């Protein structure tokens, strides 16, 4: 079990309603961020004795799936992981928004870079060495992904400190934790989308009965539920429970993309036109599920190919 | 969140720690058997590979009847432990068909519904790999609508007389017993009432089998005729008239195992190896997607096994695993078609592919069609 109703209630209260998205120019969004920080959620995974909120990967994933279930976009996961890295480097542990630019193929990629108060960038060498620096925001290209979260891609960096060594283990932890965190957010968002879909299908009537009585709609509901279970199982399994004698990560990435795509199709197909509008909340969850799945897959595939 | 949906999500858990060591034992056994040439890896071998010698080798290691109590010759182990061994055997394409039905289904039925005499007589024979079972359920006019079976068992003094025809009875021509679902009371308001299960010796007078050849040339299906076969009360499994309840209770056991999503594992392994050697990244990604999905279904299968070990009956989750797993098996065959087409015609990959194509229509039909499964799932989702 990953999700936690009490935690969902705390996160939901702090983050605001579905679709809440962090924006420093929006007073309500910044108030939500401060509530998340006040609830000590921004420093989960950072040891308590150095100023963090403590907790382990399971706690971090529980928070991630809760924020996904709320359909909200905040730099919570990035700050948790970025601050963990800061602690590893002996840097100050505080609750400013922190994020990490990770190397993927020939560029760096990161989320919430322009909103962050601290940005780390990592470089990996062919001989296994890794280095880290802090960089200024603003370099590269920032676009909004499918759910409106800012993603920065850059081939150049403006370092604000010197490059210094960082352990391979720390870099793997950052990449792996971010990937699993995005997958947990995706899972939470899917669970919310499917909950909405099951409820809609049981109340929406056509031809004199609720649409969940029609076999073809039942097919779609089975797909919704089944694919969400697959994503949950992949999340549980990225801790090493791969297929017999097969590694977990690279395969989890490929399977996640397929499962989330199928679920995305099914939830929208059940809802019909109303689900396709901004007047109905489905898109807050469905688009986030796809966006976070893509973010996880990008990191998992590059990690898996190096395994 | 709907109660039924939440219960499904809440149930999913990590694979138990004991699995790794058991899996390692099974892999070593498989490697030894391969090096001796004891079997040729094949798709769907758990279903089509009937090899009593291989079954007895497994029995000698205590790997048949693992979940039976030790006083009946079993291992006294959990469903999780059985799964840890079986998934390795299926992944390697080993021949398990001879003992499969007895081990997976009939043993559990005997433990739930059988008399002490039946358990004492039959369970040790199953666990020793000496007694093999077939199933007599479907009929020419009763497939998905199984409760409409017409095979009848009528009282004849102190005996029963069984008359009717069953189809799709795998390996009945080589088994010792066939477990038959028949009508013992006239069809009443509910067709589910008045059905009874019988344990019928396959060589009893009045039992005749006719092989039914599948596409691809395999013959393990049979049409089995019962012409006034004389049975006693000792041949009744469970309660007269309660056959339907007994049969449906077995379904969670037989729906969620690795045989429902790993029948084509040897094909995928061969395809992965071929794609790797050819440096074919798109093909490797396609196969990786399927392996990843198998990983997920594996976790769900262990979740079901753990629930069974706790005495629960996870019908909805088991049906989901079977629906998704068999669909994966079907699509895995076609995902390998291009790679197989480029391979040498007598290569392992090409041979396994041809074998799998001929087997693939059965994946989503057997043990309950996927269409029926989705009705079961939908019903389970609406239960709050």
């Amino acid at each position: 079990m990953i999700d936690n109703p009490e935690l969902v209630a705390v996160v939901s209260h702090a983050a605001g309603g579905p679709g809440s998205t962090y924006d420093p120019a929006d007073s309500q969004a910044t108030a939500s961020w401060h509530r998340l920080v006040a609830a000590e959620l921004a420093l989960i995974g950072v040891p308590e004795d150095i100023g963090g909120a403590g907790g382990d990967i399971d706690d971090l994933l529980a928070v991630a799936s809760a924020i996904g279930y709320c359909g909200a976009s905040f730099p919570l996961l990035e700050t948790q992981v970025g601050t963990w890295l800061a602690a590893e480097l002996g840097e100050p542990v505080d609750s400013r928004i922190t994020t990490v630019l990770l190397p993927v193929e020939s560029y760096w990629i990161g989320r919430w870079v322009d909103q962050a108060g601290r940005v780390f960038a990592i470089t990996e060498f062919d001989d296994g060495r890794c280095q880290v620096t802090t960089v200024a925001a603003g370099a590269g290209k920032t676009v909004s992904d499918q759910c409106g979260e800012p993603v920065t891609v850059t081939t150049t960096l403006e370092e604000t400190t010197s490059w210094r060594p960082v352990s391979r283990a720390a870099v793997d932890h950052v990449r792996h934790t971010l990937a699993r965190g995005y997958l947990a957010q995706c899972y939470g968002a899917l669970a919310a989308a499917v909950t909405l879909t099951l409820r809609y299908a049981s109340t929406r009537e056509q031809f004199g009965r609720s649409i969940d009585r029609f076999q073809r709609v039942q097919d779609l509901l089975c797909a919704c539920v089944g694919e969400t279970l697959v994503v949950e199982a992949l999340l549980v399994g990225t801790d090493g429970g791969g297929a017999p004698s097969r590694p977990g990560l690279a395969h989890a990435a490929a399977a996640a993309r397929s499962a989330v795509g199928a679920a995305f199709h099914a939830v929208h197909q059940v809802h019909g036109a109303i689900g396709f509008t901004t007047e109905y909340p489905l898109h807050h969850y469905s688009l986030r599920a796809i966006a976070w799945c893509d973010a996880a897959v990008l990191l998992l595939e590059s990690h898996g190919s190096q395994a | 969140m709907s109660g039924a949906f939440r219960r499904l999500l809440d149930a999913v858990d990590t694979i138990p720690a004991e699995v790794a060591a058991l899996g390692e034992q099974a892999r070593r056994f498989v490697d030894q058997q391969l090096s001796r040439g004891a079997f040729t890896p094949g798709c769907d071998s758990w279903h089509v590979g009937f090899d009593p010698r291989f079954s007895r080798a497994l029995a000698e290691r205590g790997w048949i009847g693992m979940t039976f109590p030790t006083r009946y010759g079993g291992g006294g182990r959990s469903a999780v432990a059985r799964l840890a061994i079986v998934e390795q055997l299926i992944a390697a394409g080993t021949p398990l068909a001879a003992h499969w039905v007895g081990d997976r289904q009939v043993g559990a039925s005997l433990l739930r519904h059988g008399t002490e005499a039946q358990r004492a007589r039959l369970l040790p024979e199953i666990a020793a790999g000496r007694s093999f079972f077939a199933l007599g359920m479907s009929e020419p006019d009763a497939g998905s609508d199984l409760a409409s079976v017409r095979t009848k068992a009528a009282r004849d003094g102190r005996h029963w007389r069984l008359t009717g025809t069953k189809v799709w009875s795998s390996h009945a021509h080589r088994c010792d017993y066939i477990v038959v679902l028949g009508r013992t009371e006239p069809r009443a308001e509910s067709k589910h009432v008045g059905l009874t299960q019988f344990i019928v010796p396959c060589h009893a007078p009045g039992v005749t089998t006719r092989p039914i050849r599948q596409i691809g040339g395999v013959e393990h299906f049979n049409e089995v005729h019962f012409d006034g076969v004389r049975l006693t009360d000792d041949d009744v499994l469970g309660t007269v008239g309660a056959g339907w309840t007994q049969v449906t209770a077995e379904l969670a056991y037989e729906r969620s195992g690795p045989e429902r999503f790993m029948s084509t594992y040897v094909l995928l392994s061969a395809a992965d190896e071929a794609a790797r050697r050819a440096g074919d990244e798109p093909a490797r990604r396609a196969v990786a997607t399927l392996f990843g999905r198998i990983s997920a279904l594996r976790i769900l299968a262990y979740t079901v096994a753990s629930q069974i070990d706790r005495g629960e009956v996870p019908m909805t989750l088991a049906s989901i695993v079977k629906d998704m797993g068999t669909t994966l098996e079907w699509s895995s065959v076609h995902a390998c078609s291009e790679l197989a087409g480029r391979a040498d015609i007598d290569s392992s990959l090409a041979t396994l592919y041809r074998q799998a194509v001929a087997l693939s229509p059965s994946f989503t039909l057997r043990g309950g069609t996927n269409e029926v499964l989705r009705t079961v799932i939908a019903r389970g989702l609406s239960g709050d």
Side-chain angles (χ1 to χ4, degrees):
Chain A
M1 180 176 84
I2 297 171
D3 49 349
N4 177 326
E6 292 78 25
L7 181 57
V8 168
V10 168
V11 172
S12 176
H13 171 74
S20 295
T21 300
Y22 180 69
D23 179 351
D26 179 332
S27 59
Q28 276 192 318
T30 51
S32 293
W33 172 249
H34 290 313
R35 283 195 295 270
L36 288 168
V37 171
E40 297 190 322
L41 297 176
L43 298 180
I44 296 272
V46 181
E48 275 184 280
D49 56 2
I50 53 169
D56 57 15
I57 183 70
D58 288 339
D59 298 309
L60 186 146
L61 295 180
V63 171
S65 71
I67 198 102
Y69 192 76
C70 295
S73 287
F74 288 86
L76 198 59
L77 173 66
E78 291 80 2
T79 299
Q80 291 160 348
V81 176
T83 309
W84 178 90
L85 181 61
E88 282 289 300
L89 298 170
E91 296 215 356
V93 169
D94 51 49
S95 58
R96 68 185 130 146
I97 294 172
T98 304
T99 191
V100 183
L101 283 162
L102 280 168
V104 174
E105 295 177 12
S106 58
Y107 54 89
W108 284 274
I109 189 166
R111 301 169 80 85
W112 305 102
V113 172
D114 292 342
Q115 292 78 15
R118 177 167 52 186
V119 181
F120 290 109
I122 290 173
T123 290
E124 295 166 311
F125 297 96
D126 290 343
D127 61 5
R129 284 179 305 124
C130 302
Q131 289 189 330
V132 63
T133 186
T134 48
V135 300
K141 193 166 36 177
T142 297
V143 298
S144 291
D145 71 3
Q146 299 94 318
C147 65
E149 289 190 5
V151 180
T152 298
V153 175
T154 184
T155 55
T156 59
L157 299 170
E158 191 182 318
E159 295 95 323
T160 57
T161 59
S162 308
W163 286 98
R164 56 209 143 120
V166 63
S167 71
R168 175 85 255 167
V171 171
D172 286 348
H173 177 91
V174 166
R175 189 187 289 270
H176 193 197
T177 306
L178 277 175
R180 291 184 76 196
Y182 290 133
L183 196 59
Q185 288 178 184
C186 166
Y187 158 68
L190 262 190
V194 172
T195 298
L196 204 57
T197 304
L198 290 170
R199 192 182 312 142
Y200 180 81
S202 70
T203 55
R204 169 75 171 168
E205 287 200 4
Q206 292 287 272
F207 305 107
R209 47 188 166 149
S210 59
I211 63 172
D212 64 356
R213 303 273 303 277
F214 293 92
Q215 284 184 337
R216 295 309 299 264
V217 176
Q218 288 174 351
D219 274 355
L220 292 167
L221 296 177
C222 290
C224 289
V225 171
E227 301 297 346
T228 305
L229 284 166
V230 165
V231 174
E232 184 184 14
L234 288 170
L235 183 57
V236 165
T238 50
D239 198 22
S245 73
R246 297 282 162 177
L249 291 174
H251 297 150
R257 184 186 275 125
S258 155
V260 174
F264 179 82
H265 165 77
V267 297
H268 276 281
Q269 192 71 7
V270 171
H271 276 93
I274 192 70
F276 196 56
T277 73
T278 57
E279 297 178 12
Y280 185 84
L282 180 64
H283 69 288
H284 293 311
Y285 308 108
S286 63
L287 290 176
R288 278 177 173 77
I290 291 277
W292 289 328
C293 178
D294 285 347
V297 166
L298 188 66
L299 295 177
L300 283 172
E301 280 185 335
S302 56
H303 188 107
S305 67
Q306 290 165 19
Chain B
M1 187 183 284
S2 95
F5 182 43
R6 166 160 290 289
R7 282 191 296 276
L8 283 170
L9 296 182
D10 285 354
V12 178
D13 207 346
T14 52
I15 292 178
E18 67 182 294
V19 167
L22 286 166
E24 181 53 38
Q25 288 176 32
R27 279 195 295 275
R28 275 203 302 272
F29 170 82
V30 166
D31 289 342
Q32 284 165 7
Q33 296 299 306
L34 263 177
S35 65
R36 286 177 201 159
F39 75 98
T40 303
C43 290
D44 217 30
S45 270
W46 66 271
H47 192 221
V48 305
F50 194 99
D51 187 338
R53 226 172 12 178
F54 196 90
S55 293
R56 274 194 287 277
L58 291 172
E60 282 163 15
R61 296 187 69 87
W63 287 349
I64 298 178
M66 285 179 71
T67 56
F68 303 171
T70 53
R71 69 180 181 278
Y72 298 125
R77 304 293 299 266
S78 63
V80 164
R82 177 182 179 273
L83 178 48
I85 297 293
V86 162
E87 67 170 349
Q88 299 295 337
L89 299 175
I90 291 177
T94 61
L96 309 177
H99 67 270
W100 187 261
V101 168
D103 181 41
R104 183 186 66 179
Q105 249 166 290
V106 175
S109 284
L110 285 166
L111 286 166
R112 285 167 79 101
H113 308 296
T115 64
E116 180 56 30
Q118 287 171 336
R119 291 184 204 134
R121 176 168 59 94
L122 296 170
L123 291 174
E125 293 296 297
I126 294 173
R130 286 194 294 262
S131 220
F132 305 133
F133 283 74
L135 294 175
M137 302 247 260
S138 294
E139 296 179 0
D141 291 328
S144 293
D145 185 11
L146 188 62
S148 293
V149 295
R150 291 191 207 156
T151 295
K152 272 196 301 218
R155 265 292 187 199
D156 178 19
R158 290 197 326 203
H159 297 98
W160 297 88
R161 291 283 182 182
L162 184 69
T163 303
T165 301
K166 295 293 183 184
V167 290
W168 320 134
S169 298
S170 295
H171 305 293
H173 60 301
R174 288 188 275 195
C175 286
D176 302 292
Y177 298 94
I178 178 168
V179 180
V180 176
L181 181 69
R183 183 157 287 287
T184 45
E185 290 153 37
R187 186 166 160 162
E189 198 177 297
S190 167
K191 61 188 174 186
H192 299 109
V193 174
L195 296 168
T196 303
Q197 288 184 290
F198 291 89
I199 303 170
V200 182
C202 288
H203 304 294
V207 180
T208 55
T209 58
R210 178 184 76 80
I212 301 171
R213 179 172 282 203
Q214 284 176 219
I215 64 175
V218 176
E219 270 180 23
H220 65 81
F221 279 151
N222 289 276
E223 189 176 69
V224 185
H225 298 281
F226 304 94
D227 187 11
V229 178
R230 197 171 87 157
L231 302 168
T232 70
D233 285 338
D234 290 339
D235 299 317
V236 172
L237 174 58
T239 306
V240 173
W244 182 255
T245 307
Q246 292 173 193
V247 162
T248 51
E250 293 169 13
L251 293 177
Y253 294 99
E254 63 113 343
R255 275 191 175 156
S256 66
E259 71 277 13
R260 301 303 184 189
F261 54 89
M262 290 174 69
S263 298
T264 56
Y265 200 87
V266 285
L267 171 64
L268 285 175
S269 297
D272 187 49
E273 182 54 36
R276 190 192 306 262
R277 272 191 267 108
D280 188 341
E281 276 309 307
R284 288 201 71 197
R285 281 181 202 275
V287 174
T289 298
L290 296 166
F291 275 130
R293 209 162 167 83
I294 288 174
S295 299
L297 291 171
R298 185 171 178 252
I299 284 169
L300 298 180
Y302 274 102
T303 298
V304 171
S306 297
Q307 289 178 305
I308 288 172
D309 282 336
R310 289 195 297 271
E312 299 165 29
V313 185
M315 191 68 72
T316 305
L317 184 56
S319 299
I320 288 172
V321 172
K322 183 168 185 285
D323 178 33
M324 302 189 79
T326 53
T327 302
L328 176 147
E329 290 177 333
W330 189 91
S331 59
S332 71
V333 176
H334 303 283
C336 297
S337 63
E338 197 180 317
L339 271 171
R342 292 202 300 264
D344 286 342
I345 198 162
D346 59 351
S347 65
S348 170
L349 173 59
T351 304
L352 285 168
Y353 171 73
R354 287 191 296 273
Q355 180 189 50
V357 168
L359 293 164
S360 63
S362 69
F363 297 155
T364 52
L365 297 173
R366 60 194 180 188
T369 67
N370 284 26
E371 287 70 26
V372 168
L373 285 176
R374 287 175 197 160
T375 305
V376 171
I377 295 164
R379 203 179 304 138
L381 288 174
S382 66
D384 265 333

